[in-house]
Amino acid sequence: MSDHAPDRPPPGAAPDWTIPQGWADYTPVEHRTWVTLYERQMRVLPGRACDAFLRGLEQLDLHADGVPDFERLNEKLRALTGWSVVAVPGLVPDQVFFEHLASRRFPAGRFIRRPDQLDYLQEPDVFHDVFGHVPMLTDPTFADYMVAYGEGGLRAQGLGQLHNLARLYWYTVEFGLIDTAQGLRIYGAGIVSSKTESVFSLEDPSPNRLGFDLARVMCTPYRIDDFQQVYFVIPSLERLLEETQSDFAALYDRLKGSPDLPIEAVLPRDKVFTRGTQAYARAAAQPGV
Ligand code: PHE
Ligand code: FE
């Protein structure tokens, strides 16, 4: 999702903004980058990523051979949940993004970061989009949640409430944690595609880790430029889907009158998994650092 995408598809893109992946055109260096990133993540994710993610990775055979060929990937993914991956030139307008999701198509960047950008990159590339997002789309419950999100996005846009709904995406699809019998696990794509945040999100004493609450999440701003100051924990994927089934129109109306919360707030009614020190955020905010 983005406010920064141009209004019309660039030359060579279809009206729905899709482009051919051009898998044969990836260079050996680009395939190497995928392998390097894949291997790094597989050293940190077992025991940290949730079972659904790790299972999806297996089922799709997103192994360390290089950038996946979407055509081959889609055969497996379609058979599992009816989803497919389509290549897009970069960020696409919100409307286009939601329409793809509502039709079970996940728009993914085709480009991959340069070898000197392994740790950080502003725009989502094929590693973030495919390694990060697609394994969860093999889970039937999560797959349905993403469809509902696309439909909800189109509605929220009509109601002028995208800023609230975007936070739901951020704190679930991108940076969500899930409570399991073995402890907290990661399901958010922004975390699982980052080596440092995979560890930080679960183990660092700095961020708050709070129970997921729909209205609460919609009032919580987020940061796009550094590790999160708060992570929200869902009890299960089924509960996430259930809690987002209701029509959000009434909730949006209520939210119109209520101010945003400070990003690091812990409220008396929050279910607190970890009360963070916020030491990381404070140090990162020092001028000149
Ligand atoms: N129930 C939401 C609505 O009425 C749709 C939605 C579902 C949005 C799941 C996001 C996630 O708008
Ligand atoms: Fe993403």
Side-chain angles (χ1 to χ4, degrees), residues 213-253:
D213 176 273
L214 186 57
R216 205 276 186 218
V217 165
M218 285 193 180
C219 295
T220 310
Y222 56 83
R223 40 191 318 161
I224 60 165
D225 57 338
D226 208 334
F227 295 146
Q228 301 305 303
Q229 288 179 249
V230 55
Y231 297 92
F232 290 97
V233 181
I234 57 169
S236 67
L237 295 170
E238 290 72 22
R239 281 290 298 282
L240 174 64
L241 184 60
E242 269 165 37
E243 287 189 30
T244 49
Q245 290 295 290
S246 62
D247 189 330
F248 288 178
L251 177 56
Y252 291 147
D253 273 346

Side-chain angles (χ1 to χ4, degrees), residues 106 124 128-129 133 169 173-174 189-190:
F106 191 79
H128 167 77
D129 282 337
H133 284 280
Y169 190 87
V173 178
E174 294 291 355

Side-chain angles (χ1 to χ4, degrees), residues 96-110:
V96 174
F97 181 72
F98 296 140
E99 280 166 359
H100 279 300
L101 296 187
S103 312
R104 293 189 183 251
R105 286 189 301 268
F106 191 79
R110 86 158 291 282

